[in-house]
């Protein structure tokens, strides 16, 4: 008896029964009953409702009604509603309520809630929307039919700012629609499913709707208002339990999020720059937690956004670009500096169509020193693929990538600067060592040759001693420009050291090398008539197959030509 009395005392069920104005007394009594009975005592009617469970073998709930202004038939109708309610909560669903209140997961609680509500209201189907914290989107959604034994989770793109959902959120009260055919503001999908009667219950915690329970029927149902009232009170308790569970799950999600971010940070920290391999590792980690199809980092280059690194796209990133001021979610985020999420790109006017598989897209600005320097873009092949939790995680990933980009840009600038001669702006010997392997591969693949031309300015020392080092530096700068103006765009000009320069000419013949040298000589003579140069040439792969040997051969040829010039001058 004790456990049942505690159940009676603390549960809002009896509180709901007491709200019925005709009820004047409510009490659990020792009375062995297997059926409903009643007694008339002066101006009141006592109805005895059998309640049995494993804690209480014989007992009855006595509900006393006032007969003032009511007929016995009317009171019996009221009593029958209460009996259905009590039977629901005391005989079969008592164990179910206990299970709900002791559930360890949101799924279990939702299952028992939907199952019992369908039974209680005699409806055909139920759905449950768990709202995001901002009440603007659905975090999780579940559905089940009356006869189902399992819960089905699905992705919901339900709009919460209109229709039945808006009413429930604004009013924070149950909404009953007897026949949707007579409702104006209703979701067309409900009509398509041939639903007729709908009851929507908000689950509220501290004046905020945290979830909405919908139950519906294919036929028009007469639903007693008292049943709605009773269930509302019960859902208040369930709402508190649900909120506690959500807090626990969000705590676990936070720990999981920190774990993911820590792993991503460790990957980024180990990399000197953000490239396809880095993005691929990040995607593989995120794919375990998010339904990602593609991920890319885009950075500005002139008036275009180009792909710096990507994974999952079927594009040539060297050719692909987006106009910064053109159409597209990525340009919009770059210009505004605000994140953007399109749950269904087919109905988003900012989306720039190029991939039929994409359904959801999210983009996040990447900052460097308070300025947008790029965009992190992710897509999914599912509608409304990203929850608020997912977007929060991706936003944190964007912050990590922003820091990585700052370091990457700094590293690339350092790397670029370290390969340039600061005086002439030409490449230096370090750049030569970096680029020659790829040149060798290309030449070998095309079965051509590559000329290495070593040039030394004649008369430069005398000029430098006569006019000073500042004028000498000016000569070196202009000579470097003359060389660049005389060669092709893919040829390489290098300041080898002092007044020595190296030109690397892939896919060229000896007679063409002579034409290049003639252009260079004409240029230096026009600017500095007193200066000239000597040169030495070595060809890959005819003369040698290693850089060291080629430079030694070119240097030897240069020395030989310079010696010939000196002999002529002495004569």
């Amino acid at each position: 008896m004790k456990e049942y009395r505690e159940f009676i005392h603390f549960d809002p069920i009896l509180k709901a029964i007491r709200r019925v104005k005709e009820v004047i007394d409510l009490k659990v009594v020792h009375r062995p009953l297997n059926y409903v009975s009643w007694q008339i005592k002066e101006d009141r009617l006592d109805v005895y409702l059998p309640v049995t469970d494993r804690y209480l073998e014989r007992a009855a709930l006595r509900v006393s009604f006032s007969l003032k202004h009511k007929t016995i038939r009317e009171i019996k109708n009221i009593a029958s509603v209460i009996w259905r309610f009590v039977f629901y909560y005391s005989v079969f669903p008592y164990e179910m309520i206990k299970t709900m209140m002791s559930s360890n997961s949101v799924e279990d609680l939702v299952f028992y809630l939907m199952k019992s509500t369908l039974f209680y209201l005699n409806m055909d189907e139920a759905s449950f929307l768990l709202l995001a914290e901002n009440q603007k989107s659905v975090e999780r959604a579940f559905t089940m039919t009356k006869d189902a034994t399992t819960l089905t989770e699905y992705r919901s793109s339900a709009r919460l700012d209109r229709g039945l959902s808006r009413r429930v959120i604004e009013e924070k009260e149950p909404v009953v629609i007897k026949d949707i055919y007579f409702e104006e503001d209703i979701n067309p999908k409900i009509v398509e499913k041939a639903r007729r009667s709908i009851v929507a219950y908000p689950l509220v915690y501290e004046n905020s709707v945290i979830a909405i329970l919908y139950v519906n029927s294919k036929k028009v149902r007469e639903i007693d208002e008292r049943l709605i009232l009773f269930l509302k009170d019960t859902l208040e308790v369930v709402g508190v339990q649900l909120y506690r569970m959500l807090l626990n799950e969000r705590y676990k999600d936070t720990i999981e999020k920190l774990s993911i971010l820590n792993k991503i940070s460790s990957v980024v920290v180990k990399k000197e720059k953000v490239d396809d391999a880095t993005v691929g590792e990040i995607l593989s980690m995120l794919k375990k937690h998010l339904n990602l199809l593609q991920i890319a980092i885009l950075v500005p280059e002139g008036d275009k956004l180009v792909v710096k690194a990507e994974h999952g796209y079927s594009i040539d990133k060297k050719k692909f670009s987006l106009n910064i001021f053109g159409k597209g979610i990525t340009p919009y985020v770059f210009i505004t500096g605000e994140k953007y999420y399109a749950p269904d790109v087919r109905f988003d006017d900012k989306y720039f169509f190029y991939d039929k598989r994409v359904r959801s897209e999210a983009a996040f600005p990447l900052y460097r020193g308070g300025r947008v320097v790029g965009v992190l873009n992710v897509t999914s092949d599912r509608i409304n693929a990203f929850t608020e939790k997912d977007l929060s995680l991706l936003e944190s990933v964007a912050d990590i990538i922003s820091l990585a980009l700052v370091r990457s840009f700094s590293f690339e600038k350092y790397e670029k600067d370290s390969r340039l001669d600061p005086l002439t702006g030409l490449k230096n010997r370090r750049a030569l060592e970096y680029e020659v392997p790829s040149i060798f591969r290309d030449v070998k693949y095309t079965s051509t040759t590559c000329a290495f031309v070593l040039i030394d300015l004649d008369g430069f020392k005398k000029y430098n001693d006569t006019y000073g080092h500042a004028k000498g530096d000016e000569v070196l700068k202009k000579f470097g420009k003359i060389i660049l103006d005389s060669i092709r765009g893919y040829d390489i000009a290098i300041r080898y050291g002092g007044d020595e320069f190296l030109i690397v000419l892939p896919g060229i013949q000896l007679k063409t090398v002579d034409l290049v040298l003639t252009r260079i000589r004409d240029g230096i003579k026009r600017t500095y008539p007193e200066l000239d140069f000597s040169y030495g040439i070595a060809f890959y792969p005819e003369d040698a197959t290693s850089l060291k040997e080629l430079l030694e051969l070119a240097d030897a040829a240069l020395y030989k030509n310079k010696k010939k010039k000196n002999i002529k001058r002495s004569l």
Side-chain angles (χ1 to χ4, degrees):
M1 182 68 109
K2 180 182 177 184
E3 294 209 32
Y4 189 75
R5 284 185 181 280
E6 287 180 352
F7 168 66
I8 292 292
H9 179 70
F10 290 110
D11 205 283
I13 297 168
L14 297 201
K15 175 182 158 187
I17 295 175
R18 289 191 179 96
R19 287 185 181 174
V20 179
K21 62 182 180 180
E22 291 83 4
V23 174
I24 57 176
D25 190 29
L26 191 61
K27 191 175 182 180
V28 177
V29 295
H30 288 284
R31 187 163 181 171
L33 281 180
N34 294 317
Y35 53 87
V36 179
S37 66
W38 58 85
Q39 266 184 339
I40 298 176
K41 294 183 179 179
E42 298 179 355
D43 59 347
R44 81 177 195 188
L45 173 67
D46 290 340
V47 179
Y48 293 89
L49 307 175
V51 284
T52 59
D53 61 41
R54 65 181 179 178
Y55 301 111
L56 184 62
E57 294 181 359
R58 295 184 178 184
L61 180 64
R62 188 185 71 195
V63 186
S64 300
F65 296 90
S66 171
L67 292 175
K68 290 180 179 178
H69 313 298
K70 294 284 181 181
T71 65
I72 291 178
R73 184 180 183 130
E74 288 172 331
I75 292 296
K76 284 184 177 180
N77 286 337
I78 297 171
S80 68
V81 171
I82 293 176
W83 164 230
R84 184 175 179 186
F85 175 74
V86 172
F87 172 79
Y88 169 72
Y89 278 106
S90 64
V91 180
F92 167 66
Y94 172 58
E95 292 297 323
M96 194 170 284
I97 289 178
K98 280 184 61 184
T99 306
M100 273 196 290
M101 301 311 291
S102 60
S103 296
N104 294 320
S105 68
V106 171
E107 290 85 352
D108 287 345
L109 185 145
V110 172
F111 172 79
Y112 287 114
L113 175 62
M114 293 170 74
K115 188 74 174 175
S116 55
T117 306
L118 285 170
F119 170 83
Y120 178 50
L121 295 180
N122 193 27
M123 299 292 240
D124 300 319
E125 187 181 45
S127 58
F128 187 89
L129 302 184
L130 186 60
L131 309 188
E133 290 183 80
N134 60 8
Q135 293 187 339
K136 293 182 179 179
S137 61
V138 178
E139 190 171 298
R140 299 179 71 182
F142 305 90
T143 185
M144 72 180 299
T145 59
K146 186 176 182 179
D147 300 323
T149 56
T150 57
L151 195 64
T152 302
E153 185 168 1
Y154 67 98
R155 290 275 183 176
S156 172
S157 56
R159 295 287 299 271
L160 302 178
D161 57 349
R162 62 189 182 190
L164 185 56
S165 300
R166 178 186 58 80
R167 284 180 59 188
V168 174
I169 291 172
E170 287 181 357
E171 297 174 12
K172 299 181 179 63
E173 292 289 338
V175 176
V176 181
I177 298 177
K178 183 179 178 181
D179 192 342
I180 63 167
Y181 288 175
F182 296 97
E183 289 289 321
E184 295 181 0
D185 190 10
I186 201 76
N187 189 335
K189 289 184 178 179
I190 298 176
V191 180
E192 290 172 9
K193 292 179 180 179
R195 302 293 180 250
R196 296 298 296 271
S197 295
I198 299 177
V199 181
Y201 285 97
L203 275 75
V204 181
Y205 182 81
E206 290 189 350
N207 207 36
S208 293
V209 177
I210 59 175
I212 304 175
L213 171 64
Y214 300 91
V215 286
N216 56 69
S217 171
K218 295 177 182 178
K219 297 179 180 179
V220 176
R221 303 276 189 191
E222 291 287 347
I223 304 171
D224 193 289
E225 291 183 5
R226 295 180 183 85
L227 293 178
I228 304 299
L229 181 66
F230 294 157
L231 193 53
K232 176 193 169 186
D233 285 307
T234 304
L235 289 182
E236 286 180 2
V237 177
V238 176
V240 174
Q241 177 69 0
L242 176 63
Y243 183 76
R244 288 171 181 165
M245 286 184 172
L246 291 177
L247 279 182
N248 186 48
E249 286 198 355
R250 283 163 185 164
Y251 171 75
K252 290 179 180 177
D253 289 340
T254 302
I255 298 299
E256 185 180 43
K257 175 183 172 181
L258 291 174
S259 175
I260 297 168
L261 294 177
N262 182 55
K263 290 177 182 176
I264 292 173
S265 298
S266 65
V267 169
V268 172
V269 165
K270 292 175 184 176
K271 305 284 185 178
E272 291 178 332
K273 57 183 179 179
V274 178
D275 54 15
D276 288 352
T278 308
V279 172
E281 283 190 60
I282 292 173
L283 178 64
S284 66
M285 280 185 276
L286 289 176
K287 264 206 164 184
K288 295 177 183 178
H289 305 276
L290 306 176
N291 187 43
L292 291 185
L293 176 67
Q294 303 156 329
I295 181 170
I297 296 170
L298 296 96
V299 296
E301 194 173 282
D303 61 347
K304 303 285 186 182
L305 283 172
V306 298
V307 179
K308 181 173 179 61
E310 59 83 20
H311 195 88
Y313 286 87
S314 55
I315 57 171
D316 183 349
K317 73 174 187 178
K318 292 181 179 178
K319 296 179 180 179
F320 180 83
S321 65
L322 295 171
N323 191 324
I324 287 178
F325 301 100
K327 186 178 180 181
I329 291 173
T330 305
Y332 173 81
V333 170
F334 183 82
I335 293 296
T336 62
E338 298 175 355
K339 65 180 179 181
Y340 188 86
Y341 174 45
D344 191 342
V345 295
R346 295 173 300 175
F347 304 103
D348 196 291
D349 57 0
K350 291 182 177 61
Y351 179 67
F352 178 74
F353 176 81
Y354 72 92
D355 194 328
K356 293 180 180 179
R357 297 174 298 166
V358 175
R359 287 293 176 266
S360 301
E361 181 174 349
F364 306 85
L366 304 174
Y367 282 93
R368 175 187 175 194
R371 185 168 59 90
V372 179
V373 294
V375 177
L376 171 66
N377 193 84
V378 296
T379 68
S380 172
D381 56 3
R382 292 173 61 184
I383 296 171
N384 201 24
F386 307 120
T387 63
E388 288 293 325
K389 180 180 69 175
D390 297 336
L391 296 173
S392 174
L393 173 62
L394 287 167
E395 196 169 8
S396 299
V397 171
D399 291 338
I400 293 173
I401 292 175
S402 294
L403 293 173
L405 274 181
V406 171
R407 193 185 62 175
S408 180
F409 288 146
S410 301
F411 175 78
E412 288 173 7
K413 185 177 184 305
Y414 166 76
E415 200 173 42
K416 184 179 178 182
D417 291 347
S418 68
R419 293 175 185 169
L420 292 178
D421 174 57
L423 178 63
T424 61
L426 300 180
K427 294 178 180 179
N428 59 20
R429 294 177 73 164
R430 186 180 178 189
L432 173 68
E433 293 170 0
Y434 179 79
E435 296 191 27
V436 158
S438 62
I439 292 173
F440 284 174
R441 283 194 301 271
D442 293 342
V443 168
K444 190 175 181 180
Y445 180 77
T446 56
S447 300
T448 56
T449 61
C450 180
F452 286 75
V453 184
L454 195 59
I455 296 175
D456 182 79
L457 277 172
D458 295 333
F460 177 74
K461 186 178 183 304
K462 183 180 178 181
Y463 186 94
N464 206 30
D465 292 341
T466 303
Y467 299 105
H469 290 290
K471 290 290 184 180
D473 288 346
E474 190 176 321
V475 169
L476 294 175
K477 286 180 184 177
K478 288 187 178 179
F479 189 59
K481 188 176 185 308
I482 289 169
I483 291 175
L484 285 175
D485 292 342
S486 304
I487 61 177
R488 300 164 297 182
Y490 55 84
D491 295 332
I492 301 173
I494 293 167
R495 187 185 177 194
Y496 196 66
D499 59 350
E500 286 188 330
F501 295 80
L502 177 68
I503 309 172
V504 182
L505 307 167
I508 200 167
Q509 301 299 323
L510 179 59
K511 61 181 180 180
T512 312
V513 176
D514 290 337
L515 290 174
V516 172
L517 292 171
T518 300
R519 285 198 295 268
I520 295 173
R521 180 169 277 113
D522 290 343
I524 192 68
K525 285 295 184 182
R526 279 196 303 270
T527 312
Y528 300 102
E530 66 271 42
L531 297 178
D532 197 0
F533 64 83
S534 299
Y535 64 88
I537 306 173
F539 282 91
Y540 171 87
E542 290 92 332
D543 299 327
T545 55
S546 72
L547 178 61
K548 182 181 178 183
E549 290 176 320
L550 288 165
L551 292 176
E552 287 174 352
L553 290 171
D555 188 53
L558 169 64
Y559 177 75
K560 188 176 180 180
N561 287 337
K562 206 170 185 69
K563 191 174 181 181
K564 284 182 181 179
K565 275 190 177 182
N566 290 336
I567 291 171
K568 284 182 182 179
R569 285 197 195 98
S570 63
L571 294 175

